[in-house]
Every structure is written in structure tokens, then in C-alpha cells.
Amino acid sequence: MSDFIQEVNKRRTFAIISHPDAGKTTITEKLLLFGNAIKMAGTVKGKKSGRMATSDWMAMEQDRGISITTSVMQFPYNGRMVNLLDTPGHEDFSEDTYRTLTAVDSCLMVIDGAKGVEDRTIKLMNVCRMRETPIFTFVNKMDREVRDQIEVMDEIESILKIDCAPITWPIGMAKSFKGVYNLYTDTIHVFQPGKGHTIPDDVRIQGLESDEAKELLGDYHEEFVDEIELVRGASHEFDMEEFMAGQQTPVFFGTALANFGVREMLYYFTEWAPGPLPRPTENREVEPSEEKFSGFIFKIQANMDPKHRDRIAFMRVCSGKYTRNMKMKHVRIGKDIKIADAVTFMAGDREQVEEAVSGDIIGLHNHGTIQIGDTFTQGEELKFTGVPHFAPELFKRVRLKDPLKMKQLQKGLQQLSEEGATQLFMPQRNNDLILGAVGVLQFDVVLQRLKDEYKVDAIYEHVNVNTARWVECSDNKMLEDFKRKNVENLAIDGGGHLTYLAPTRVNLSLAEERWPDVKFRNTREH
Ligand code: G4P
């Protein structure tokens, strides 16, 4: 096997999906600890006690060091090279979060054992389902009073529509949490409390029926043996094919805070999670083993350096190898460009890594020519598909403070929408400019950037829009009829696509009922 293929096969590229406060930051920190990327937990910057104000976020965005290095974290473990892509979790939830999920090969779902399935997780799982992404599950906070875990699994199965295959099972909880039991190897991993900041010793007991196990569990032993029997009966056996199809998830238990159960999960993750998967383009599938370079842009991070209007475009490498100073074809504009200084992401190692292969993420400096969804190749005319716009859920009307700046405003909004920072809608019945976003912070970022980069002072007003759908109809006559009768609700988006803006969900349902042959789509490809 060539060195190149060996490197590609090592890659495990994933993101964490969870509801805020489930423990994503904490588990990220522990993963970096195992990957030797940090020496002691508690050193990951950005947030410790939860909420960040908008202004902090802006300041953070401007701090190149923090924002770039926490966007993608690369570390070695168990003979693999793991790429963890950050998905902003709190108020900074945005379309970026969704699109990041199009750049990974698998996801780790973190569930709060006391809370079970929460709504952000439902939304993110829906996105994963679009691509049948394989999902690992970690049920967190076993050091607390948590719910009956069989109930939590039922909830995952019924709400998230994915079968659960527990690999480990928790022994007790809260003060009486003793560790986790591996259902497949008949091994107890014994909880080592008070080791949250370091890598705890790997203490194991072989055999649930062993004397050591009986001693550890004491009075609880018999009950636990029964519980395991129940769990085996009520759950699914791990099945690689179903996992790979996104229909079944292996489930692990532990506490990220106390750094327990994470190692067991990470081990199986590096064993089972898929390496780089083939990626669809408009013409053909691109295999990660192909030697010619290709990749697509899934995220543009703004305001890294406001003075230079410099932005970083994040590219998922889909085939071949990036090397410094290589030439790539920017397919949409049909030009070859030399990439001298792409950013690579070895966590904890400040040295610039000069190579990246299929499965890796690199950051290109963008001066305005790169858009979300752009494809780069070594000459071939390819267009990667599957990097969508998501129907926004929040809307605002933009008003200028100085009406003479209309041109700048339009230009700014057009560019920001091409970049994916927001979505722009221009209603057919008036000259309003309506912005749509998935996360509320996107609006603040847009105002700030209009001011800094386009010298436009704008304000927001309420607008009576609840949701948007992209409209399509293969029957032209019907489409014209539809357009005539729905002028009030129609708009053109930043990419020139016809969009239906619904004031209420009920209005949307009625329109869908009335026009069964018109497609109302909640995603649109770039
Ligand atoms: P997030 O990124 O998913 O939003 O969650 P984060 O890791 O920030 O964790 C949210 C809160 O839950 C934090 O507490 C964190 O310490 C706590 N936490 C994470 N994992 C565990 C766990 O296994 N057990 C327990 N008991 N708590 C856990 P916080 O009070 O918001 O912040 P902090 O001030 O304690 O850091």
C-alpha cells in the first residue's frame, strides 16, 4: 500500500452533535487529552462556564489564534489521525453548524443522561440523516443523578429514529457510580474518581462473575446481572452495516467531567468509525484514494483580521494531497490559483503542517473569491454536491440609517449571503431586503460586518415571516399560475431562486395543500 493510501486510511473526520450543556466542550477537552494535544484538561479556551455574550464572540472571532485552532482539531490516537470539527453549540449556532456536518464522515452524539434527547440534538440528527452519517453515542454525566438509562435509550430510538446498540453499560450512578461494563468483552472498567484533569489509570476487572466484580459491586451485583440481561434483551446487537448506514448507533456511557468512559468510547471510535468516504459530484463519485487533489468549501469564517477583510475558507479534502505552493483549479471561476499558505490544524502543535490528505480540513485565505460550496481540483471539471442552504427560521427586515447608502448595502448583503453568513430575500411585491438566519447571532455578525467592511449603518425591523421554502415546479404553466396567485408571499433569494415566505406554519401547510404539484423545499444546494 502506498504511503498516501496509508495516510488516508488513518483519517477519522467527525463532529460532535449535542444540545448546549450536554458536555461537548468537556468531552472535546478529554479527547484532546487522550490525543496528547493538551497536557491538562482545563486549557481549552473559549468558554468554561457556558454562555458567551455576542461581544465576546466577536472578539474571539477576531482573535485568529483561538478561532482557527478550535474550528478543527487534529490529533493522533490508536494509530489513527482524528480530525474533530467544531460545531458551535450555544448562541453562535448557525448555518455553519449544519454545513460542518456535510464535511465529516461520522458524528459523535453527546446526550445528557439526566435530560435525554433535547431539541438541538433532534435538529442536528435530521441533518445527519440527510447523508446517512454513522453516529456514535456517548451518554454523559453518570456521576450525577440521571434517568433510567433504558428509558433514555428508548427515547433515542423513538425520537431520533435510530436503533441503539449499547457497547458499555453504566454500573450505578451519582455517588454510587462504579464504572462501565463492556457487554462484548465482559470487562468492567473501574471508575477512578477525582482524575478529571488527567488521564486516569485503566483499571479493569475481567468477568462480571469474577470475585473481584462481586466485591466491587457488593449488594448491587445480583441486581446488576439482572439489569444486564434485561439490557441485552431490550437492545440491539452491534451491526457494522447498520451503523455505517446510519440506522444503528453504538452507545457508550460515562462522565466527561471526571474523564471516565471517554477512553473506551474513543478506542471503539477509532476502530469502527469510517475513514474518508467517497463524495458525490454532479458527474461522478470521487474516491478518497484518488491521487489527484479535490475538495470543497463548507464554511467561511469571517473577520479573522478586519483590517484585511481576510477570511478563512474551510475546505474538506476529498481526494489527493495538498502540499504547500500547489496549484489548484477554482472550478466555479475557471482559474488556476497557487495556494502558498493554507492553514492546517494539528492541535497543540503550532508548527505548520505542510501536507493534508483526503479526510483532512485545510483553511484557505479568502479575499472574496471563494464561496460556500466551491469545488477545487487539479484540473478536472467537478462540482461537489451536498452542501446545502437550510431554510432559515429567523427573519428580519434591514433598514438603512442613511438612505443614500443603498448600493453599498445591497452589495454587502449580496456578498455576505454568497459567503453563507446570512440569507437574503427580496420580496416581489416591494423593495424590502429581508435577512434569514438559522441562528440569532448571525444577525449581529451581519450588522457588524456591514459597518466594518461596507461602511453601512443598518438596523433591523420585525418582519412577519415565519419560515421559507424554495419553490420548484416542473410544469411551467402551473408555476406561472402559482407565481401570479402568490405574489404576496414570493421572493427571490440571494442566489436568484424563487422562495415562498410564509407568515405562519399554517399558511405554509395550506399553500402546500393547495399546490400539490409544486415542491416546497427546505434545503437548497449551493
Ligand atoms: P457544552 O459544550 O455541550 O455546552 O457543555 P459543557 O462541556 O460546557 O458542559 C456543560 C456543563 O456540564 C458544565 O458545567 C460542565 O462542567 C458540566 N459537565 C460536563 N460533563 C459533565 C459530567 O460528566 N458530569 C457532570 N456532573 N457535569 C458535567 P457548568 O457548571 O456550566 O460549567 P463549569 O463552570 O462547571 O465549567
Side-chain angles (χ1 to χ4, degrees):
M1 211 189 297
S2 74
D3 288 354
F4 166 67
I5 301 283
Q6 268 183 23
E7 278 303 309
V8 172
N9 288 346
K10 277 189 192 171
R11 264 51 189 180
R12 294 293 178 273
T13 303
F14 80 112
I16 298 178
I17 58 174
S18 62
H19 192 81
D21 280 345
K24 188 186 64 153
T25 310
T26 312
I27 202 169
T28 297
E29 202 169 68
K30 301 302 145 75
L31 294 173
L32 294 178
L33 200 60
F34 285 115
N36 238 332
I38 52 173
K39 297 283 168 266
M40 181 114 111
T43 54
V44 174
K45 292 190 201 141
K47 118 184 135 69
K48 192 61 204 114
S49 49
R51 321 270 166 271
M52 250 198 304
T54 308
S55 55
D56 294 344
W57 187 82
M58 295 273 192
M60 200 175 117
E61 277 289 278
Q62 282 162 14
D63 184 332
R64 181 181 290 250
I66 294 176
S67 55
I68 293 185
T69 53
T70 56
S71 289
V72 182
M73 290 156 272
Q74 186 180 63
F75 58 90
Y77 194 79
N78 188 24
R80 310 287 191 211
M81 187 57 87
V82 180
N83 292 312
L84 169 53
L85 276 56
D86 188 37
T87 48
H90 286 79
E91 284 91 328
D92 47 349
F93 178 66
S94 67
E95 289 170 70
D96 276 351
T97 310
Y98 283 172
R99 281 191 293 251
T100 294
L101 299 180
T102 67
V104 301
D105 301 301
S106 60
C107 281
L108 170 63
M109 172 163 75
V110 177
I111 302 263
D112 183 328
K115 296 194 175 141
V117 176
E118 297 175 87
D119 52 307
R120 181 76 55 82
T121 314
I122 300 175
K123 282 189 187 172
L124 292 167
M125 266 297 280
N126 284 338
V127 179
C128 290
R129 200 164 289 117
M130 287 167 59
R131 294 180 53 242
E132 297 170 348
T133 307
I135 311 274
F136 258 67
T137 300
F138 186 81
V139 184
N140 193 24
K141 307 200 183 180
M142 287 300 131
D143 59 323
R144 279 198 186 161
E145 287 295 329
V146 289
R147 284 170 49 191
D148 174 355
Q149 294 311 304
I150 294 189
E151 209 180 281
V152 170
M153 281 206 314
D154 278 349
E155 202 170 282
I156 295 174
E157 296 204 337
S158 62
I159 299 180
L160 300 177
K161 309 263 182 301
I162 188 164
D163 290 344
C164 288
I167 306 301
T168 62
W169 194 257
I171 307 174
M173 62 161 136
K175 288 218 166 62
S176 53
F177 180 55
K178 296 265 191 293
V180 296
Y181 173 67
N182 187 316
L183 295 154
Y184 290 76
T185 60
D186 188 25
T187 311
I188 293 172
H189 297 264
V190 185
F191 180 42
Q192 310 290 306
K195 298 283 173 62
H197 296 289
T198 53
I199 297 181
D201 293 338
D202 188 2
V203 181
R204 303 178 184 202
I205 294 174
Q206 186 56 48
L208 186 53
E209 291 299 341
S210 68
D211 292 344
E212 278 171 292
K214 285 179 184 156
E215 191 182 332
L216 178 76
L217 271 70
D219 293 346
Y220 180 46
H221 184 263
E222 209 171 311
E223 197 184 316
F224 186 72
V225 171
D226 290 347
E227 189 176 331
I228 287 299
E229 206 158 301
L230 190 70
V231 169
R232 285 193 204 275
S235 64
H236 299 258
E237 200 161 328
F238 178 70
D239 181 308
M240 195 64 176
E241 253 172 54
E242 287 189 24
F243 161 65
M244 287 296 288
Q247 286 162 5
Q248 188 196 73
T249 177
V251 182
F252 299 81
F253 294 83
T255 151
L257 190 65
N259 198 7
F260 186 80
V262 178
R263 170 172 33 211
E264 290 65 34
M265 187 278 299
L266 180 59
Y267 171 77
Y268 284 99
F269 176 82
T270 49
E271 291 288 313
W272 291 346
L277 297 171
R279 295 271 153 177
T281 69
E282 281 176 359
N283 335 53
R284 65 185 187 87
E285 245 186 21
V286 171
E287 293 291 332
S289 56
E290 291 177 28
E291 299 223 340
K292 285 212 166 162
F293 178 88
S294 71
F296 67 87
I297 305 296
F298 62 93
K299 161 172 162 167
I300 292 177
Q301 194 149 336
N303 264 1
M304 302 297 223
D305 184 351
K307 278 186 235 101
H308 297 104
R309 272 209 204 177
D310 191 11
R311 291 160 215 158
I312 297 286
F314 288 82
M315 178 195 283
R316 152 88 191 205
V317 180
C318 298
S319 65
K321 187 195 275 186
Y322 157 79
T323 50
R324 200 172 146 84
N325 285 322
M326 78 180 281
K327 268 203 181 141
M328 296 179 195
K329 179 173 180 163
H330 185 336
V331 176
R332 182 174 49 82
I333 60 175
K335 259 196 196 154
D336 276 341
I337 51 173
K338 190 162 123 181
I339 308 286
D341 55 350
V343 185
T344 48
F345 302 95
M346 179 59 99
D349 180 2
R350 292 293 134 246
E351 264 169 53
Q352 183 92 2
V353 181
E354 311 255 304
E355 280 186 3
V357 299
S358 320
D360 285 336
I361 309 298
I362 57 176
L364 307 185
H365 292 273
N366 176 22
H367 306 283
T369 52
I370 305 179
Q371 297 176 9
I372 302 270
D374 278 347
T375 297
F376 288 77
T377 64
Q378 266 182 317
E380 193 175 344
E381 283 286 328
L382 287 177
K383 168 95 185 70
F384 283 99
T385 55
V387 189
H389 275 297
F390 293 89
E393 292 165 7
L394 304 163
F395 297 85
K396 290 198 192 286
R397 181 190 292 120
V398 187
R399 272 284 149 83
L400 274 175
K401 283 192 188 159
D402 173 0
L404 293 177
K405 296 254 176 127
M406 198 56 182
K407 275 243 159 62
Q408 284 98 312
L409 176 68
Q410 280 169 340
K411 182 174 167 220
L413 290 179
Q414 189 68 38
Q415 289 189 353
L416 291 173
S417 77
E418 280 171 6
E419 209 184 81
T422 180
Q423 295 185 45
L424 174 63
F425 300 97
M426 291 157 284
Q428 298 201 315
R429 69 187 147 109
N430 57 34
N431 291 325
D432 280 357
L433 295 168
I434 295 176
L435 293 191
V438 167
V440 71
L441 194 63
Q442 286 178 261
F443 289 123
D444 297 338
V445 171
V446 166
L447 270 200
Q448 190 67 39
R449 291 189 58 191
L450 283 173
K451 196 170 173 163
D452 291 348
E453 297 168 33
Y454 301 91
K455 309 292 167 233
V456 178
D457 263 321
I459 47 172
Y460 290 129
E461 287 176 352
H462 171 78
V463 61
N464 192 24
V465 179
N466 175 278
T467 189
R469 291 290 182 271
W470 286 283
V471 176
E472 276 172 27
C473 180
S474 50
D475 179 342
N476 263 337
K477 215 169 134 238
M478 185 178 296
L479 185 63
E480 287 312 313
D481 194 26
F482 174 79
K483 283 193 201 164
R484 233 183 354 265
K485 292 186 174 139
N486 291 279
V487 175
E488 284 298 302
N489 293 95
L490 291 178
I492 299 296
D493 78 358
H497 302 265
L498 188 65
T499 321
Y500 185 89
L501 300 180
T504 61
R505 293 271 158 181
V506 175
N507 172 287
L508 176 65
S509 310
L510 287 176
E512 285 172 328
E513 266 170 43
R514 254 177 232 141
W515 301 88
D517 295 323
V518 172
K519 294 210 169 78
F520 294 80
R521 298 196 185 281
N522 61 4
T523 59
R524 170 172 86 67
E525 292 258 327
H526 278 270

